[in-house]
Amino acid sequence: MIHLSKVNKSYDTVKVLMDCSLTVKKGEVVVICGPSGSGKSTLIKTLNALEPIQSGEIITNGLSVHDAATNLSALRSQVGMVFQHFELFPHLSVLDNLRLAQIQVLGRDHSEATQRAQSLLARVGLQAHANKFPAQLSGGQQQRVAIARALAMDPVVMLFDEPTSALDPEMVGEVLDVMVQLAQEGMTMMCVTHEMGFARRVAHRVIFMDSGRILEDCSSAEFFGDVTQRTPRAQEFLSKVLAH
Amino acid sequence: MTFDFTFFSGSLLQTYVLHGFLFSLQLTVLATCGGIVLGTVLALMRLSQRALFHWPATVYVNGMRSIPLVMVLLWFFLLMPFLLGRPIGAEISAVITFIAFEAAFFCEIVRSGIQSIPKGQTSAALALGLSQQQTLRWIVLPQALRNMTPILLTQVIILFQDTSLVYAIGAYDMLKGFEIAGKNSGRPVEAYLAAALIYFLICFSLSQLVRHLQQRTSFTK
């Protein structure tokens, strides 16, 4: 489903990704964790070409992401993405947030797009808010709308970039619930997150990054199991995030 | 010194002032519409990564903004007959000059409006599969336009006041109408006062509208 080999990326002289290679199979849920500035978010944004790379290759759903001949619009519409700060379109109603790309990119007609939007809003428990504007919703509700907006494109894989980091603690649960449900339905997911509970419970695999390198790539059972088997950097990270 | 406004009559205003007033309004509306369209094109060119688009627009905008409007008016009016081989009317010359000149100012307003939209909005739109053009059309420009409406209107107020500069090329605008009405009635001071009052009333009500809009947009944010 997703395949990275020897991906390198740098901003001027600063290397942000170094020789990153990994494979994600269909139906897998992969959590990427690591200290801030380790390149997690950058990595996930290279998968749909929101970030360019300098060398290496990324294949997402059979398409070479950074090949000039690739139809980026078609590729991106198959890859759902959820952002830390929601990024709903504030000038559009919730319904129009979900409809716009269905109509403009997939060419669905208005009623079909509305139907799909409404069934997804029902699924994330927000059908009553269809005609509101994003600013009228809480953070947790906005993020659930953002997930529904991504799902409306019927993506084959979902990417989450710290989806709960900007939320009030009370609202983290409602967003994670939606993500857990998605994972249980067999959606292929890659998720940058600090929610270790979610990683332990839902993820099949955990990837640990530091300074632009992938240091650990193992099953979540292994990752949270025998800590002494981990790299020293991962041990240090785990001891801090799991301490409390 | 005493003022005497009794010479003002409906027929006097209709004879001398009305069509000048209408021209001032026309010039303002045409320069606003034309200037915003051309200014948006210039703004997109300035924001373009390509040197071929970026540099000509940047030179044009900075050039226009460094020259007084009245000089541009005069140059254009005096040079066009040489280029075309025949004179063009002062009014048409004024409309073209104003559109070209105001576009440079509207360009900078539109450019800052576009830049005020967070990069995350563009990322989210692109991630959904929208193209660059679709992102601009559906996500960036609608939000930018809403953010910049107050400052656009402020520019329109300045533009309306600047229309009085067409006196330099002899176009017949509202000020000219009052001037001739004053001369013909032997009351130039009162005529200029009346003109000032009308400029004030129009600009003041527009700036009230700007204030109202600012309050409204800050509320929805």
Side-chain angles (χ1 to χ4, degrees):
Chain A
M1 182 65 65
I2 293 175
H3 183 77
L4 282 80
S5 62
K6 300 238 171 253
V7 172
N8 283 279
K9 177 181 174 63
S10 48
Y11 295 114
D12 294 326
T13 57
V14 186
K15 293 197 163 191
V16 284
L17 293 178
M18 279 182 277
D19 285 333
C20 292
S21 300
L22 73 100
T23 303
V24 178
K25 292 197 287 284
K26 191 169 187 301
E28 254 189 320
V29 177
V30 176
V31 158
I32 306 172
C33 61
S36 42
S38 59
K40 320 178 287 287
S41 290
T42 310
L43 181 79
I44 210 165
K45 283 178 182 154
T46 62
L47 302 180
N48 61 353
L50 283 184
E51 292 278 358
I53 60 173
Q54 267 81 42
S55 69
E57 192 176 34
I58 301 175
I59 311 281
T60 298
N61 197 28
L63 294 167
S64 178
V65 176
H66 295 85
D67 185 338
T70 301
N71 180 348
L72 276 185
S73 176
L75 166 81
R76 284 166 171 161
S77 68
Q78 295 162 19
V79 179
M81 188 157 210
V82 176
F83 298 84
Q84 182 177 3
H85 296 288
F86 330 135
E87 302 300 351
L88 294 180
F89 306 129
H91 61 303
L92 300 178
S93 69
V94 166
L95 205 50
D96 282 330
N97 264 277
L98 269 70
R99 278 194 297 220
L100 179 69
Q102 289 191 67
I103 293 168
Q104 296 297 326
V105 179
L106 301 181
R108 288 183 185 157
D109 65 39
H110 194 265
S111 65
E112 191 187 355
T114 307
Q115 230 168 25
R116 184 87 184 103
Q118 257 152 357
S119 80
L120 282 164
L121 284 176
R123 180 169 162 184
V124 298
L126 293 170
Q127 62 273 52
H129 302 276
N131 294 313
K132 289 190 179 167
F133 282 85
Q136 295 169 284
L137 302 179
S138 73
Q141 290 172 328
Q142 288 191 49
Q143 194 61 301
R144 286 188 280 153
V145 171
I147 294 173
R149 180 176 70 178
L151 291 174
M153 304 299 282
D154 296 320
V156 294
V157 54
M158 286 283 287
L159 309 175
F160 295 84
D161 184 12
E162 303 205 26
T164 56
S165 306
L167 293 175
D168 285 345
E170 281 182 272
M171 292 169 184
V172 170
E174 64 191 71
V175 171
L176 288 180
D177 284 346
V178 173
M179 292 169 61
V180 169
Q181 197 196 346
L182 259 182
Q184 284 166 349
E185 286 166 15
M187 175 63 83
T188 311
M189 292 165 64
M190 278 186 87
C191 183
V192 175
T193 186
H194 297 298
E195 298 293 335
M196 289 300 120
F198 173 81
R200 198 196 291 253
R201 199 152 44 99
V202 181
H204 302 111
R205 267 167 59 208
V206 176
I207 284 164
F208 176 78
M209 290 183 73
D210 185 40
S211 318
R213 289 182 191 279
I214 293 178
L215 295 186
E216 301 271 356
D217 180 354
C218 56
S219 74
S220 64
E222 274 180 85
F223 189 78
F224 294 108
D226 186 1
V227 177
T228 56
Q229 300 294 307
R230 307 275 67 80
T231 58
R233 187 65 189 89
Q235 284 188 33
E236 188 192 338
F237 177 80
L238 279 171
S239 70
K240 280 174 189 157
V241 295
L242 298 178
H244 303 284
Chain B
M1 184 175 180
T2 51
F3 293 126
D4 177 11
F5 286 97
T6 51
F7 73 98
F8 274 116
S9 64
S11 69
L12 185 86
L13 288 175
Q14 206 172 2
T15 316
Y16 297 111
V17 179
L18 184 66
H19 71 279
F21 174 70
L22 289 179
F23 175 68
S24 292
L25 282 189
Q26 222 175 8
L27 182 56
T28 306
V29 171
L30 288 174
T32 303
C33 298
I36 289 177
V37 171
L38 188 57
T40 306
V41 173
L42 285 168
L44 294 176
M45 286 174 72
R46 281 204 74 176
L47 290 168
S48 166
Q49 309 280 336
R50 287 189 215 173
L52 181 67
F53 292 130
H54 176 79
W55 285 109
T58 305
V59 169
Y60 178 86
V61 169
N62 286 325
M64 274 297 186
R65 299 207 312 156
S66 320
I67 308 171
L69 173 55
V70 69
M71 281 180 77
V72 184
L73 269 170
L74 271 171
W75 277 350
F76 189 79
F77 182 64
L78 297 174
L79 283 178
M80 277 324 272
F82 285 106
L83 295 175
L84 293 175
R86 59 185 173 82
I88 57 170
E91 279 77 16
I92 296 198
S93 181
V95 169
I96 297 172
T97 310
F98 264 83
I99 290 176
F101 187 83
E102 293 300 327
F105 287 84
F106 285 123
C107 165
E108 293 304 89
I109 296 172
V110 175
R111 190 166 71 106
S112 67
I114 289 175
Q115 284 176 327
S116 74
I117 306 306
K119 199 172 161 285
Q121 287 284 301
T122 307
S123 296
L126 293 176
L128 283 166
L130 295 173
S131 67
Q132 294 279 358
Q133 287 83 348
Q134 286 172 324
T135 301
L136 202 60
R137 162 72 183 83
W138 295 104
I139 306 303
V140 177
L141 282 181
Q143 292 186 64
L145 206 67
R146 199 173 65 173
N147 287 355
M148 68 202 183
T149 304
I151 181 122
L152 274 180
L153 268 176
T154 307
Q155 183 64 31
V156 173
I157 296 172
I158 299 170
L159 166 57
F160 176 66
Q161 293 170 350
D162 282 352
T163 58
S164 58
L165 289 176
V166 298
Y167 82 86
I169 54 172
Y172 200 110
D173 73 327
M174 180 172 87
L175 187 61
K176 180 97 164 185
F178 275 107
E179 184 192 325
I180 291 178
K183 267 192 191 137
N184 286 2
S185 340
R187 288 275 169 200
V189 177
E190 285 87 343
Y192 281 127
L193 270 176
L197 182 71
I198 292 188
Y199 278 113
F200 173 79
L201 282 177
I202 290 174
C203 294
F204 183 74
S205 23
L206 272 175
S207 61
Q208 289 304 107
L209 180 66
V210 172
R211 254 185 62 179
H212 173 76
L213 283 174
Q214 267 169 338
Q215 277 162 357
R216 219 187 54 180
T217 51
S218 63
F219 179 68
T220 54
K221 269 255 151 165

PDB file of all heavy atoms in Angstrom, chain B residues 30-52:
ATOM      1  N   LEU B  30     -15.548  52.378 -12.409  1.00  0.00           N
ATOM      2  CA  LEU B  30     -14.751  51.695 -13.434  1.00  0.00           C
ATOM      3  C   LEU B  30     -13.339  51.414 -12.938  1.00  0.00           C
ATOM      4  O   LEU B  30     -12.798  50.325 -13.146  1.00  0.00           O
ATOM      5  CB  LEU B  30     -14.694  52.542 -14.711  1.00  0.00           C
ATOM      6  CG  LEU B  30     -15.991  52.599 -15.516  1.00  0.00           C
ATOM      7  CD1 LEU B  30     -15.862  53.579 -16.676  1.00  0.00           C
ATOM      8  CD2 LEU B  30     -16.351  51.211 -16.047  1.00  0.00           C
ATOM      9  N   ALA B  31     -12.735  52.408 -12.273  1.00  0.00           N
ATOM     10  CA  ALA B  31     -11.363  52.224 -11.786  1.00  0.00           C
ATOM     11  C   ALA B  31     -11.321  51.157 -10.697  1.00  0.00           C
ATOM     12  O   ALA B  31     -10.358  50.391 -10.594  1.00  0.00           O
ATOM     13  CB  ALA B  31     -10.791  53.537 -11.270  1.00  0.00           C
ATOM     14  N   THR B  32     -12.383  51.085  -9.871  1.00  0.00           N
ATOM     15  CA  THR B  32     -12.429  50.059  -8.832  1.00  0.00           C
ATOM     16  C   THR B  32     -12.529  48.666  -9.448  1.00  0.00           C
ATOM     17  O   THR B  32     -11.726  47.781  -9.148  1.00  0.00           O
ATOM     18  CB  THR B  32     -13.615  50.291  -7.880  1.00  0.00           C
ATOM     19  OG1 THR B  32     -13.493  51.590  -7.318  1.00  0.00           O
ATOM     20  CG2 THR B  32     -13.658  49.255  -6.779  1.00  0.00           C
ATOM     21  N   CYS B  33     -13.520  48.492 -10.331  1.00  0.00           N
ATOM     22  CA  CYS B  33     -13.720  47.167 -10.923  1.00  0.00           C
ATOM     23  C   CYS B  33     -12.510  46.758 -11.756  1.00  0.00           C
ATOM     24  O   CYS B  33     -11.945  45.678 -11.574  1.00  0.00           O
ATOM     25  CB  CYS B  33     -14.981  47.145 -11.777  1.00  0.00           C
ATOM     26  SG  CYS B  33     -16.458  47.481 -10.827  1.00  0.00           S
ATOM     27  N   GLY B  34     -12.124  47.638 -12.677  1.00  0.00           N
ATOM     28  CA  GLY B  34     -10.970  47.326 -13.525  1.00  0.00           C
ATOM     29  C   GLY B  34      -9.709  47.135 -12.702  1.00  0.00           C
ATOM     30  O   GLY B  34      -8.919  46.228 -12.951  1.00  0.00           O
ATOM     31  N   GLY B  35      -9.537  47.995 -11.706  1.00  0.00           N
ATOM     32  CA  GLY B  35      -8.334  47.934 -10.871  1.00  0.00           C
ATOM     33  C   GLY B  35      -8.271  46.651 -10.064  1.00  0.00           C
ATOM     34  O   GLY B  35      -7.195  46.067  -9.903  1.00  0.00           O
ATOM     35  N   ILE B  36      -9.424  46.176  -9.558  1.00  0.00           N
ATOM     36  CA  ILE B  36      -9.418  44.945  -8.767  1.00  0.00           C
ATOM     37  C   ILE B  36      -9.098  43.749  -9.664  1.00  0.00           C
ATOM     38  O   ILE B  36      -8.294  42.886  -9.311  1.00  0.00           O
ATOM     39  CB  ILE B  36     -10.746  44.753  -8.014  1.00  0.00           C
ATOM     40  CG1 ILE B  36     -10.838  45.775  -6.881  1.00  0.00           C
ATOM     41  CG2 ILE B  36     -10.860  43.340  -7.461  1.00  0.00           C
ATOM     42  CD1 ILE B  36     -12.139  45.741  -6.115  1.00  0.00           C
ATOM     43  N   VAL B  37      -9.713  43.717 -10.848  1.00  0.00           N
ATOM     44  CA  VAL B  37      -9.452  42.594 -11.762  1.00  0.00           C
ATOM     45  C   VAL B  37      -7.974  42.581 -12.167  1.00  0.00           C
ATOM     46  O   VAL B  37      -7.276  41.574 -11.999  1.00  0.00           O
ATOM     47  CB  VAL B  37     -10.360  42.675 -13.009  1.00  0.00           C
ATOM     48  CG1 VAL B  37      -9.935  41.641 -14.041  1.00  0.00           C
ATOM     49  CG2 VAL B  37     -11.812  42.464 -12.613  1.00  0.00           C
ATOM     50  N   LEU B  38      -7.499  43.725 -12.675  1.00  0.00           N
ATOM     51  CA  LEU B  38      -6.094  43.801 -13.091  1.00  0.00           C
ATOM     52  C   LEU B  38      -5.156  43.616 -11.892  1.00  0.00           C
ATOM     53  O   LEU B  38      -4.120  42.957 -11.988  1.00  0.00           O
ATOM     54  CB  LEU B  38      -5.839  45.160 -13.766  1.00  0.00           C
ATOM     55  CG  LEU B  38      -4.486  45.378 -14.434  1.00  0.00           C
ATOM     56  CD1 LEU B  38      -4.218  44.314 -15.490  1.00  0.00           C
ATOM     57  CD2 LEU B  38      -4.430  46.771 -15.077  1.00  0.00           C
ATOM     58  N   GLY B  39      -5.551  44.167 -10.741  1.00  0.00           N
ATOM     59  CA  GLY B  39      -4.745  44.046  -9.527  1.00  0.00           C
ATOM     60  C   GLY B  39      -4.634  42.602  -9.064  1.00  0.00           C
ATOM     61  O   GLY B  39      -3.578  42.169  -8.595  1.00  0.00           O
ATOM     62  N   THR B  40      -5.729  41.828  -9.201  1.00  0.00           N
ATOM     63  CA  THR B  40      -5.690  40.413  -8.818  1.00  0.00           C
ATOM     64  C   THR B  40      -4.737  39.645  -9.732  1.00  0.00           C
ATOM     65  O   THR B  40      -3.942  38.819  -9.268  1.00  0.00           O
ATOM     66  CB  THR B  40      -7.099  39.792  -8.878  1.00  0.00           C
ATOM     67  OG1 THR B  40      -7.968  40.590  -8.086  1.00  0.00           O
ATOM     68  CG2 THR B  40      -7.107  38.378  -8.353  1.00  0.00           C
ATOM     69  N   VAL B  41      -4.806  39.955 -11.032  1.00  0.00           N
ATOM     70  CA  VAL B  41      -3.885  39.307 -11.975  1.00  0.00           C
ATOM     71  C   VAL B  41      -2.440  39.645 -11.600  1.00  0.00           C
ATOM     72  O   VAL B  41      -1.580  38.757 -11.528  1.00  0.00           O
ATOM     73  CB  VAL B  41      -4.185  39.760 -13.424  1.00  0.00           C
ATOM     74  CG1 VAL B  41      -3.130  39.222 -14.384  1.00  0.00           C
ATOM     75  CG2 VAL B  41      -5.570  39.303 -13.849  1.00  0.00           C
ATOM     76  N   LEU B  42      -2.194  40.929 -11.317  1.00  0.00           N
ATOM     77  CA  LEU B  42      -0.838  41.348 -10.928  1.00  0.00           C
ATOM     78  C   LEU B  42      -0.397  40.656  -9.639  1.00  0.00           C
ATOM     79  O   LEU B  42       0.749  40.223  -9.509  1.00  0.00           O
ATOM     80  CB  LEU B  42      -0.786  42.866 -10.740  1.00  0.00           C
ATOM     81  CG  LEU B  42      -0.783  43.711 -12.019  1.00  0.00           C
ATOM     82  CD1 LEU B  42      -1.028  45.178 -11.689  1.00  0.00           C
ATOM     83  CD2 LEU B  42       0.543  43.558 -12.759  1.00  0.00           C
ATOM     84  N   ALA B  43      -1.328  40.539  -8.680  1.00  0.00           N
ATOM     85  CA  ALA B  43      -0.995  39.906  -7.402  1.00  0.00           C
ATOM     86  C   ALA B  43      -0.601  38.447  -7.622  1.00  0.00           C
ATOM     87  O   ALA B  43       0.379  37.961  -7.060  1.00  0.00           O
ATOM     88  CB  ALA B  43      -2.172  39.995  -6.438  1.00  0.00           C
ATOM     89  N   LEU B  44      -1.378  37.739  -8.455  1.00  0.00           N
ATOM     90  CA  LEU B  44      -1.059  36.332  -8.730  1.00  0.00           C
ATOM     91  C   LEU B  44       0.291  36.229  -9.436  1.00  0.00           C
ATOM     92  O   LEU B  44       1.069  35.312  -9.181  1.00  0.00           O
ATOM     93  CB  LEU B  44      -2.163  35.688  -9.579  1.00  0.00           C
ATOM     94  CG  LEU B  44      -3.511  35.560  -8.875  1.00  0.00           C
ATOM     95  CD1 LEU B  44      -4.567  35.007  -9.815  1.00  0.00           C
ATOM     96  CD2 LEU B  44      -3.390  34.673  -7.634  1.00  0.00           C
ATOM     97  N   MET B  45       0.567  37.201 -10.329  1.00  0.00           N
ATOM     98  CA  MET B  45       1.872  37.198 -11.001  1.00  0.00           C
ATOM     99  C   MET B  45       2.993  37.432  -9.997  1.00  0.00           C
ATOM    100  O   MET B  45       4.023  36.768 -10.024  1.00  0.00           O
ATOM    101  CB  MET B  45       1.906  38.281 -12.089  1.00  0.00           C
ATOM    102  CG  MET B  45       1.094  37.940 -13.319  1.00  0.00           C
ATOM    103  SD  MET B  45       1.011  39.318 -14.495  1.00  0.00           S
ATOM    104  CE  MET B  45       2.677  39.310 -15.147  1.00  0.00           C
ATOM    105  N   ARG B  46       2.777  38.390  -9.087  1.00  0.00           N
ATOM    106  CA  ARG B  46       3.826  38.677  -8.101  1.00  0.00           C
ATOM    107  C   ARG B  46       4.074  37.493  -7.182  1.00  0.00           C
ATOM    108  O   ARG B  46       5.171  37.296  -6.681  1.00  0.00           O
ATOM    109  CB  ARG B  46       3.443  39.893  -7.249  1.00  0.00           C
ATOM    110  CG  ARG B  46       3.675  41.208  -7.940  1.00  0.00           C
ATOM    111  CD  ARG B  46       3.848  42.327  -6.942  1.00  0.00           C
ATOM    112  NE  ARG B  46       5.160  42.253  -6.303  1.00  0.00           N
ATOM    113  CZ  ARG B  46       5.612  43.147  -5.444  1.00  0.00           C
ATOM    114  NH1 ARG B  46       4.861  44.173  -5.082  1.00  0.00           N
ATOM    115  NH2 ARG B  46       6.797  43.022  -4.901  1.00  0.00           N
ATOM    116  N   LEU B  47       3.011  36.719  -6.899  1.00  0.00           N
ATOM    117  CA  LEU B  47       3.162  35.573  -5.998  1.00  0.00           C
ATOM    118  C   LEU B  47       3.680  34.344  -6.733  1.00  0.00           C
ATOM    119  O   LEU B  47       3.992  33.330  -6.114  1.00  0.00           O
ATOM    120  CB  LEU B  47       1.818  35.251  -5.332  1.00  0.00           C
ATOM    121  CG  LEU B  47       1.337  36.267  -4.302  1.00  0.00           C
ATOM    122  CD1 LEU B  47      -0.118  36.011  -3.939  1.00  0.00           C
ATOM    123  CD2 LEU B  47       2.208  36.213  -3.058  1.00  0.00           C
ATOM    124  N   SER B  48       3.745  34.425  -8.061  1.00  0.00           N
ATOM    125  CA  SER B  48       4.178  33.275  -8.844  1.00  0.00           C
ATOM    126  C   SER B  48       5.661  32.992  -8.603  1.00  0.00           C
ATOM    127  O   SER B  48       6.447  33.905  -8.369  1.00  0.00           O
ATOM    128  CB  SER B  48       3.927  33.538 -10.327  1.00  0.00           C
ATOM    129  OG  SER B  48       4.631  32.592 -11.108  1.00  0.00           O
ATOM    130  N   GLN B  49       6.010  31.702  -8.664  1.00  0.00           N
ATOM    131  CA  GLN B  49       7.411  31.320  -8.504  1.00  0.00           C
ATOM    132  C   GLN B  49       8.201  31.653  -9.761  1.00  0.00           C
ATOM    133  O   GLN B  49       9.420  31.766  -9.727  1.00  0.00           O
ATOM    134  CB  GLN B  49       7.529  29.806  -8.246  1.00  0.00           C
ATOM    135  CG  GLN B  49       6.649  29.276  -7.135  1.00  0.00           C
ATOM    136  CD  GLN B  49       7.241  29.536  -5.770  1.00  0.00           C
ATOM    137  OE1 GLN B  49       8.444  29.697  -5.640  1.00  0.00           O
ATOM    138  NE2 GLN B  49       6.406  29.613  -4.747  1.00  0.00           N
ATOM    139  N   ARG B  50       7.493  31.780 -10.891  1.00  0.00           N
ATOM    140  CA  ARG B  50       8.187  31.957 -12.166  1.00  0.00           C
ATOM    141  C   ARG B  50       8.618  33.399 -12.371  1.00  0.00           C
ATOM    142  O   ARG B  50       7.819  34.321 -12.292  1.00  0.00           O
ATOM    143  CB  ARG B  50       7.265  31.542 -13.315  1.00  0.00           C
ATOM    144  CG  ARG B  50       7.093  30.051 -13.383  1.00  0.00           C
ATOM    145  CD  ARG B  50       6.364  29.663 -14.623  1.00  0.00           C
ATOM    146  NE  ARG B  50       5.509  28.522 -14.348  1.00  0.00           N
ATOM    147  CZ  ARG B  50       4.630  28.027 -15.206  1.00  0.00           C
ATOM    148  NH1 ARG B  50       4.478  28.608 -16.373  1.00  0.00           N
ATOM    149  NH2 ARG B  50       3.905  26.994 -14.886  1.00  0.00           N
ATOM    150  N   ALA B  51       9.907  33.575 -12.671  1.00  0.00           N
ATOM    151  CA  ALA B  51      10.487  34.908 -12.859  1.00  0.00           C
ATOM    152  C   ALA B  51       9.779  35.660 -13.983  1.00  0.00           C
ATOM    153  O   ALA B  51       9.570  36.866 -13.902  1.00  0.00           O
ATOM    154  CB  ALA B  51      11.975  34.785 -13.161  1.00  0.00           C
ATOM    155  N   LEU B  52       9.363  34.910 -14.996  1.00  0.00           N
ATOM    156  CA  LEU B  52       8.705  35.510 -16.160  1.00  0.00           C
ATOM    157  C   LEU B  52       7.432  36.267 -15.749  1.00  0.00           C
ATOM    158  O   LEU B  52       7.080  37.289 -16.342  1.00  0.00           O
ATOM    159  CB  LEU B  52       8.350  34.397 -17.160  1.00  0.00           C
ATOM    160  CG  LEU B  52       7.673  34.829 -18.465  1.00  0.00           C
ATOM    161  CD1 LEU B  52       8.645  35.638 -19.320  1.00  0.00           C
ATOM    162  CD2 LEU B  52       7.182  33.609 -19.241  1.00  0.00           C
TER     163      LEU B  52
END
